[in-house]
């Protein structure tokens, strides 16, 4: 007989993902056991296996859910009708706002992807590449005279912008929306003024 899905299945799954991300972020993926994960989630070990058959499956779902939602939110910004400068501001601002409240998932991303099979890594890196491509396109539109034939510089500049955004996440993770908007403006201004000297 096919087991029916409980009405609160999705809610419990979200709770498991949130709790497991906290454990993986604090303990490290290798050191976290299914018993520890179950205890953090407030459920039995048998119950956690009802949702995930392995720690690897749980890690992939955390990262797949986080990165896919992040990609959809950032790449879903409507940029039509905005100047290149305003497009950059919108992407930088939305990225910082999307990071808010996702410290554990973000930390797990930095170390967890490499622990997964190559085919799953490819899926997750695909989400990252989509965001990088969007940022690159907007940076190129802001300085076509610089990046027209300098793809290496474009990639380095793109990753430098993400580096500034990730710096804020690392050192100001508890900052509210206003502080994130202020820093988004700083990154945008710094990038646009710096582009001319790349």
């Amino acid at each position: 007989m096919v087991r029916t899905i409980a009405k609160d299945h999705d809610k419990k799954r979200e709770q498991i993902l949130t709790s497991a991300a906290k454990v993986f972020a604090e303990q490290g993926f290798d050191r976290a056991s299914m018993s520890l994960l179950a205890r953090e989630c407030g459920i039995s070990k048998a119950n956690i296996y009802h949702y995930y058959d392995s720690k690897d499956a749980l890690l992939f779902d955390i990262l797949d859910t986080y990165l896919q939602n992040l990609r959809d939110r950032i790449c879903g910004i409507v940029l039509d009708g905005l100047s290149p400068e305003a497009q950059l501001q919108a992407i930088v601002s939305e990225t910082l706002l999307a990071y808010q409240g996702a410290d554990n998932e973000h930390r797990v991303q930095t170390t967890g992807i490499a622990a997964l099979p190559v085919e799953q890594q490819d899926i997750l890196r695909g989400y990252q590449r989509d965001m990088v491509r969007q940022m690159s396109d907007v940076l190129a539109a802001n300085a076509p005279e610089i990046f027209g034939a300098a793809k290496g510089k474009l990639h380095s500049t793109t990753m430098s912008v993400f580096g500034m955004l990730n710096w804020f996440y690392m050192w100001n993770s508890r900052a509210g929306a206003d502080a994130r908007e202020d820093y988004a403006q700083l990154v945008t201004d710094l990038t646009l003024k710096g582009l001319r000297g790349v």
Side-chain angles (χ1 to χ4, degrees):
M1 181 180 2
V2 177
R3 180 183 293 181
T4 58
I5 297 176
K7 291 180 180 178
D8 62 348
H9 180 275
D10 289 343
K11 184 177 179 181
K12 283 187 177 178
R13 177 183 158 274
E14 288 177 16
Q15 176 198 350
I16 291 170
L17 292 179
T18 300
S19 298
K22 181 175 184 288
V23 172
F24 288 154
E26 293 176 350
Q27 303 293 325
F29 175 71
D30 292 337
R31 291 189 301 277
S33 66
M34 288 298 268
S35 297
L36 179 60
L37 292 167
R39 188 164 55 249
E40 180 68 31
C41 295
I43 60 177
S44 69
K45 189 175 175 181
N47 200 1
I48 203 169
Y49 275 114
H50 172 69
Y51 290 87
Y52 296 99
D53 60 8
S54 69
K55 195 169 70 165
D56 287 2
L58 181 50
L59 174 63
F60 176 71
D61 202 17
I62 290 169
L63 295 177
D64 186 59
T65 300
Y66 171 63
L67 287 172
Q68 186 175 162
N69 289 339
L70 184 65
R71 187 273 314 268
D72 291 349
R73 177 172 174 175
I74 293 170
C75 292
I77 301 169
V78 178
L79 300 176
D80 295 345
L82 298 179
S83 67
E85 294 88 350
Q87 289 180 1
L88 180 60
Q89 169 71 32
I91 293 170
V92 168
S93 178
E94 195 64 30
T95 300
L96 287 170
L97 292 172
Y99 284 173
Q100 191 170 8
D103 291 352
N104 292 327
E105 291 82 357
H106 199 79
R107 190 171 294 118
V108 171
Q109 171 199 201
T110 61
T111 58
I113 292 179
L116 292 167
V118 172
E119 60 273 13
Q120 291 182 337
Q121 290 185 37
D122 288 343
I123 292 169
L124 301 175
R125 294 192 195 287
Y127 302 142
Q128 293 174 326
R129 280 192 297 271
D130 289 343
M131 292 182 279
V132 168
R133 188 179 306 113
Q134 182 200 41
M135 181 73 78
S136 289
D137 289 347
V138 169
L139 288 172
N142 272 281
E145 72 283 3
I146 295 171
F147 296 127
K151 297 300 181 188
K153 283 188 177 181
L154 176 57
H155 182 72
S156 296
T157 303
T158 301
M159 300 317 293
S160 295
V161 172
F162 278 113
M164 287 189 282
L165 301 181
N166 289 333
W167 172 87
F168 191 85
Y169 144 74
M170 291 293 293
W171 297 103
N172 296 284
S173 62
R174 291 190 173 87
D178 289 345
R180 289 169 188 271
E181 293 283 8
D182 287 346
Y183 186 67
Q185 187 64 59
L186 174 64
V187 170
T188 301
D189 290 344
L190 183 60
T191 301
L192 291 173
K193 292 173 184 177
L195 283 175
R196 305 299 176 249
V198 171

